Amino acid sequence: MTFKFNIMGNNELRDYAKRVYGPVYAFQSCYVVDDERDIIFLDLGGHGDLAPGRGECPTYYNLLWQGIAVAFEAYDALQRNGDGVTLIFTITKFVVPPELAQVTNEIKGTLVVASQCYWNGRYKRELLFDVRFPLLELP
């Protein structure tokens, strides 16, 4: 599985905007893609960088899995540690369409890899990465 960080142009933005599911707060121009597997990770905006206790909305995302949108919401926080900086990515909602239920665990694993590529690209550096799926029950 090989994801690449990209910045989308206007044509890609129009195409991807038609294919997403769920809230779109502020469609971000950066994304990651695995061309071989036809998987695209999209950031739809939000306030996931603010602590959930402040009452702000999370950040909304989609993972386009071979053309089918998997929606999820998350909060992110940077935490300094002895080895540098760790990005803690806490996924609070994860919606897998029924037609993809049989590959839910594969989607979850792919989501971890894609989100790490996305955040490394956004910060333009290798981050330590901690993905959390608290309280989620997956089929």
Side-chain angles (χ1 to χ4, degrees), residues 10 16 26 42-43 66 74-75 88-89 91 99 120-121 123 131:
N10 289 334
Y16 294 149
L42 299 168
D43 180 343
Q66 299 166 354
Y75 288 91
I88 299 169
F89 193 61
I91 298 169
E99 61 265 40
N120 285 343
Y123 281 101
V131 178

Side-chain angles (χ1 to χ4, degrees), residues 11-108:
N11 290 338
E12 292 165 311
L13 180 62
R14 279 191 294 275
D15 178 47
Y16 294 149
K18 294 177 201 172
R19 298 166 57 189
V20 299
Y21 173 81
V24 177
Y25 194 82
F27 210 110
Q28 303 299 303
S29 61
C30 45
Y31 68 104
V32 298
V33 61
D34 179 336
D35 288 320
E36 290 178 16
R37 296 177 58 208
D38 189 22
I39 300 171
I40 303 161
F41 177 100
L42 299 168
D43 180 343
L44 307 179
H47 290 288
D49 58 330
L50 301 174
R54 295 181 52 165
E56 297 287 347
C57 68
T59 299
Y60 305 102
Y61 299 90
N62 270 197
L63 190 69
L64 298 179
W65 187 274
Q66 299 166 354
I68 301 170
V70 175
F72 63 101
E73 301 173 2
Y75 288 91
D76 58 273
L78 291 173
Q79 182 178 24
R80 294 203 181 279
N81 58 43
D83 295 329
V85 177
T86 299
L87 185 112
I88 299 169
F89 193 61
T90 305
I91 298 169
T92 55
K93 187 174 182 182
F94 183 67
V95 181
V96 177
E99 61 265 40
L100 294 176
Q102 72 279 6
V103 292
T104 297
N105 286 330
E106 185 180 350
I107 291 170
K108 185 178 172 186

